[in-house]
Amino acid sequence: MTSVVATTNKNSNASLVYAFLYKLVEVFTEYFKELEEESIQDNFVVVYELLDELMDFGFPQTTDSKILQEYITQQGNKLEVAKTKVPTTVTNAVSWRSEGIKYKKNEVFIDVIESINVLVNANGSVMSSDIVGCIKLKTMLSGMPELRLGLNDRDKGKTVAMEDVKFHQCVRLSRFESDRTISFIPPDGESELMSYRINTHVKPLIWIESVIEKFSHSRVEIMVKAKGQFKKQSVANNVEIRVPVPSDADSPKFKTSTGHAKYVPEKNLVVWSIKSFPGGKEFLMRAHFGLPSVETDEMEGKPPITVKFEIPYFTVSGIQVRYMKIIEKSGYQALPWVRYITQSGDYQLRTNS
């Protein structure tokens, strides 16, 4: 793993230095895909050019990778040509967007994505839970539009307690603080507009009950019941339930009421895959493994059952986009599209066995 270090010759703002280093890593990763010692050596000239634009006289300058890619390319001959002209974005107040962008069809795609982190103990009690969310944009808009996005986080006197809220630099923070309107001139293409965390009690959307029985070191039998604890109109897609098994298990046999199960010996797991899991439904998986007849005193841990899933058209916090206004001086009509996705984050259920 590559480490990035910054030095200063005076007592600088530590937060600023850390923020710049994170941005530096983000830019290098955009250019080289993997930030490793070898990739830095192979792209030394480009790294030198990027550093020259990212910081000047100790002050961060242009740090948006999309803008940097307009005039710093990986081809050496283009680097020299680009130096003859200063991009408008360097001196423009809107440093994250170029002028003169044109599209035949103007559209904005908004993704509200929430990940659920849940830890359930062996007795079935939820030990910890929270929601980590973000709003991602894909903007294909001409000119220099202003967008105004409103959420339902304070509708009808109800509030959703968002914590650790972080915005893209394009958002006007004063406007959000005054009336909760997210007002901004968007970057072109894909970007993350904001991220947030909601520290709340979350009922596990897919509930797991398991019974794991070992018989005289000759065999182990596993029964797993999965229940969808979300509304019946919704469907969880690409569900994966990963059940740990002893490292010396062999001769697997499976029976499932839906989906299919497979043994992954290199990870000591049974992976039960269900392509479509409707809310309110209950499914069962049984597994049988042989165990060596020789007893061993080796103590193995008790890894938890983990679950992966994705539920479209649904947010567990209830956050929704109330409106999206697009204002541009040419007055064109643009279509906003909104998509909601709830997915598993760190989703673990401990077992007794």
Side-chain angles (χ1 to χ4, degrees):
M1 185 175 179
T2 303
S3 298
V4 182
V5 180
T7 60
T8 65
N9 58 9
K10 61 180 182 179
N11 190 13
S12 301
N13 184 321
S15 298
L16 173 65
V17 176
Y18 277 118
F20 178 76
L21 288 178
Y22 275 107
K23 201 66 186 177
L24 187 75
V25 170
E26 184 182 311
V27 169
F28 284 172
T29 304
E30 283 281 334
Y31 269 82
F32 315 135
K33 304 302 179 189
E34 297 288 338
L35 182 56
E36 301 289 347
E37 182 181 351
E38 187 177 347
S39 63
I40 292 173
Q41 290 173 345
D42 292 345
N43 297 280
F44 178 76
V45 174
V46 181
V47 168
Y48 199 88
E49 291 286 338
L50 286 170
L51 289 173
D52 196 38
E53 298 296 338
L54 284 161
M55 181 169 283
D56 200 11
F57 295 103
F59 293 97
Q61 300 296 314
T62 306
T63 59
D64 192 288
S65 58
K66 288 186 174 64
I67 300 304
L68 288 165
Q69 286 171 2
E70 291 183 9
Y71 56 98
I72 295 181
T73 69
Q74 301 230 19
Q75 288 75 29
N77 60 324
K78 290 187 179 180
L79 289 173
E80 297 302 319
V81 174
K83 284 182 179 178
T84 60
K85 140 180 155 167
V86 178
T88 56
T89 48
V90 172
T91 54
N92 186 11
V94 186
S95 63
W96 55 87
R97 185 181 179 89
S98 300
E99 293 182 356
I101 296 172
K102 291 183 180 178
Y103 285 97
K104 288 184 179 179
K105 186 178 182 181
N106 292 285
E107 295 179 301
V108 182
F109 297 89
I110 308 166
D111 281 349
V112 182
I113 304 170
E114 291 189 342
S115 298
I116 304 176
N117 300 320
V118 173
L119 175 61
V120 179
N121 70 12
N123 297 323
S125 300
V126 177
M127 301 293 290
S128 64
S129 63
D130 66 0
I131 301 164
V132 177
C134 68
I135 297 178
K136 295 188 175 182
L137 297 180
K138 184 177 182 182
T139 56
M140 295 185 288
L141 298 173
S142 304
M144 198 65 74
E146 178 175 331
L147 276 57
R148 294 174 187 169
L149 184 146
L151 301 176
N152 67 335
D153 59 326
R154 287 196 178 181
D155 277 0
K156 299 176 183 177
K158 295 181 180 179
T159 61
V160 177
M162 290 184 176
E163 300 178 27
D164 301 334
V165 179
K166 186 172 74 173
F167 289 106
H168 188 280
Q169 61 177 319
C170 67
V171 175
R172 297 183 180 93
L173 297 179
S174 57
R175 181 71 187 270
F176 180 75
E177 290 169 357
S178 64
D179 63 7
R180 307 295 284 185
T181 298
I182 303 172
S183 176
F184 59 100
I185 296 172
D188 186 44
E190 295 182 1
S191 61
E192 183 172 288
L193 182 67
M194 68 176 288
S195 61
Y196 58 89
R197 184 174 63 87
I198 299 173
N199 190 11
T200 184
H201 178 80
V202 180
K203 182 175 72 173
L205 297 180
I206 294 181
W207 183 256
I208 302 294
E209 293 179 17
S210 65
V211 177
I212 302 173
E213 290 185 279
K214 293 181 182 178
F215 295 89
S216 303
H217 293 273
S218 62
R219 72 183 195 276
V220 60
E221 293 184 0
I222 299 170
M223 187 276 291
V224 176
K225 183 165 68 174
K227 182 178 180 181
Q229 296 192 137
F230 48 94
K231 58 184 181 181
K232 294 181 180 179
Q233 301 93 322
S234 295
V235 175
N237 296 327
N238 304 317
V239 177
E240 275 192 3
I241 301 167
R242 301 185 170 201
V243 185
V245 297
S247 58
D248 54 350
D250 60 19
S251 308
K253 296 177 183 176
F254 303 111
K255 186 177 181 181
T256 62
S257 59
T258 191
H260 67 278
K262 67 176 181 179
Y263 178 38
V264 186
E266 64 272 18
K267 294 184 178 179
N268 301 323
L269 287 175
V270 170
V271 179
W272 180 17
S273 301
I274 304 171
K275 193 170 184 181
S276 181
F277 196 136
K281 292 290 184 180
E282 205 172 271
F283 299 116
L284 197 66
M285 185 272 290
R286 294 182 183 274
H288 177 283
F289 286 88
L291 291 176
S293 57
V294 179
E295 293 191 9
T296 174
D297 292 330
E298 181 185 352
M299 293 296 293
E300 294 185 347
K302 296 180 180 178
I305 293 174
T306 60
V307 185
K308 289 188 175 182
F309 58 85
E310 187 174 277
I311 306 174
Y313 317 114
F314 170 73
T315 57
V316 69
S317 71
I319 286 287
Q320 291 186 335
V321 174
R322 284 196 297 118
Y323 63 85
M324 165 67 88
K325 295 179 182 177
I326 302 167
I327 304 161
E328 214 279 330
K329 61 183 180 182
S330 64
Y332 60 70
Q333 295 296 310
L335 296 171
W337 304 91
V338 184
R339 181 172 62 168
Y340 301 96
I341 300 171
T342 289
Q343 59 191 19
S344 56
D346 187 10
Y347 199 104
Q348 300 184 11
L349 301 99
R350 293 176 180 167
T351 63
N352 281 310
S353 303

